[in-house]
Amino acid sequence: MAFPIASLRESIDRFRIPFNSILGETFDYIPQDNSFKLITEQVLHEPPICAGHCESENFIFYANTNIKSSFWGKSIDIEPQSSAHIILKSSQDHIVYKGATSSIENIIFGKMYIEHHGEFSFSNSTTGDSGTLKLEKRGWGGSNAYIVHGEICDKSGKVRYKIEARWDSYLKAIDA
């Protein structure tokens, strides 16, 4: 659950136009220490969908960026339509998750900001465990900004852990 939440932190004050690759263009990266291998490809241009695969000695990660976007006049909502997969090699746990909605607010007037809200859903197809993380929508004056609540359940549905977090700084799992 920490993996996708950690990436949200990087979106604070990030308003650059993303790299817009052409159809079929690939990007691969292997750092000098060979700690992982990453390859991505633009597989569809309208709507823009990119597929990616990353592998290290500890994990395999693959996903695509299929989204649904909605323009609301003063904001744009971006809702993921696909799932991401993480396979932990040490335990063979195969975790599948679907992300929450991201909104770009105040695109015409005011200070522009990105807000992540809604629910991340997780399932471990190896063990049957599941989890949810609910990202609170920013309240008036910024209250509730970055707040996350969640839980992890075993395959029978019993809550095993409660999650408290702020997607900009920490994540804590507490025995239920």
Side-chain angles (χ1 to χ4, degrees):
M1 294 179 128
F3 180 76
I5 291 295
S7 67
L8 299 180
R9 170 69 179 93
E10 297 305 314
S11 66
I12 296 174
D13 296 326
R14 180 179 168 196
F15 303 110
R16 295 173 302 209
I17 295 174
F19 176 70
N20 189 9
S21 55
I22 55 178
L23 188 60
E25 186 174 3
T26 60
F27 171 81
D28 61 281
Y29 179 72
I30 302 170
Q32 289 183 347
D33 64 1
N34 287 321
S35 56
F36 67 91
K37 297 175 185 174
L38 168 71
I39 186 165
T40 63
E41 181 173 341
Q42 186 76 23
V43 294
L44 191 61
H45 207 278
E46 210 40 63
I49 298 176
C50 181
H53 178 93
C54 184
E55 189 165 349
S56 78
E57 67 181 45
N58 300 316
F59 68 86
I60 298 170
F61 171 81
Y62 57 95
N64 71 57
T65 60
N66 188 13
I67 61 164
K68 176 183 170 189
S69 62
S70 303
F71 176 66
W72 300 103
K74 63 176 187 148
S75 66
I76 298 173
D77 287 350
I78 302 161
E79 182 181 342
Q81 300 296 299
S82 56
S83 299
H85 299 256
I86 303 169
I87 300 169
L88 303 175
K89 291 183 176 181
S90 61
S91 61
Q92 289 304 305
D93 284 340
H94 183 164
I95 299 153
V96 181
Y97 70 90
K98 185 173 179 190
T101 299
S102 297
S103 298
I104 304 169
E105 302 286 345
N106 295 335
I107 58 174
I108 297 175
F109 296 111
K111 181 172 174 20
M112 193 165 32
Y113 63 93
I114 296 175
E115 177 173 32
H116 305 288
H117 55 90
E119 193 170 282
F120 273 92
S121 60
F122 298 82
S123 63
N124 185 329
S125 59
T126 306
T127 65
D129 297 343
S130 62
T132 57
L133 290 175
K134 178 158 177 34
L135 284 67
E136 298 291 330
K137 192 144 175 85
R138 183 184 300 247
W140 188 257
S143 65
N144 291 338
Y146 316 123
I147 302 294
V148 179
H149 300 284
E151 60 186 25
I152 301 171
C153 302
D154 63 19
K155 66 181 175 183
S156 69
K158 182 177 180 185
V159 177
R160 295 296 182 174
Y161 299 96
K162 294 282 190 178
I163 305 295
E164 294 178 5
R166 286 180 53 99
W167 59 259
D168 67 332
S169 55
Y170 75 93
L171 185 137
K172 180 175 20 174
I174 304 161
D175 288 328

